[in-house]
């Protein structure tokens, strides 16, 4: 619950950061921070016990909440004003389809279903 609250606070804070530094700059810096965070994830989850896992949840939600608030604005700014709603909807739908739909298929491609003999 604390991680979710930090993520929601990050969405709000992203507006303040984007107003001060610009939307694209904010997203670029946050993308770099998320990539840096990803390097340390194995140590946080495997070697640090419950403290590392708590840091992973709290910092992860915060780092993912910050760019979430600005991502849709960057996508829609690429479209002409008359196409922004449709462009944003298509971009969001395709991102969910590729990210959530096909990622599971890709991850499961190497897994085999147990045969009757293996049981």
């Amino acid at each position: 619950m604390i991680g979710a609250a930090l993520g929601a606070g990050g969405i709000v804070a992203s507006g303040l950061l984007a107003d001060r530094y610009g939307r694209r700059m904010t997203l670029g810096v946050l993308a770099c921070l998320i990539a840096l965070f990803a390097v340390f994830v194995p140590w946080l989850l495997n070697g640090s016990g419950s403290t590392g896992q708590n840091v992973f949840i709290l910092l992860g939600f915060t780092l993912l909440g910050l760019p979430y608030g600005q991502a849709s604005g960057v996508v829609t700014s690429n479209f002409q004003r008359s196409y922004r709603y449709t462009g944003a909807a298509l971009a969001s739908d395709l991102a969910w389809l590729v990210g959530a739909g096909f990622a599971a298929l890709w991850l499961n491609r190497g897994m085999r279903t147990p045969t009757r003999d293996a049981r």
Side-chain angles (χ1 to χ4, degrees):
M1 291 303 297
I2 295 169
L6 288 172
I11 294 170
V12 174
S14 71
L16 300 172
L17 291 171
D19 286 344
R20 183 174 185 136
Y21 301 108
R23 184 180 289 148
R24 291 182 191 273
M25 176 65 79
T26 301
L27 282 174
V29 169
L30 290 170
C32 292
L33 289 175
I34 290 170
L36 183 65
F37 175 69
V39 171
F40 294 101
V41 167
W43 290 286
L44 290 173
L45 292 179
N46 290 331
S48 301
S50 63
T51 302
Q53 293 170 2
N54 289 335
V55 168
F56 169 76
I57 292 294
L58 298 175
L59 190 58
F61 266 92
T62 303
L63 280 174
L64 293 176
L66 283 165
Y68 182 80
Q70 299 304 312
S72 61
V74 167
V75 170
T76 57
S77 68
N78 292 322
F79 299 107
Q80 295 175 9
R81 187 176 294 270
S82 60
Y83 298 116
R84 282 196 182 157
Y85 182 81
T86 304
L90 283 173
S92 175
D93 290 346
L94 291 174
W96 276 106
L97 181 67
V98 172
F102 294 134
L105 294 174
W106 181 78
L107 289 173
N108 288 327
R109 77 182 194 289
M111 296 183 175
R112 295 184 180 168
T113 306
T115 62
R116 193 174 283 248
D117 297 334
R119 294 184 208 159

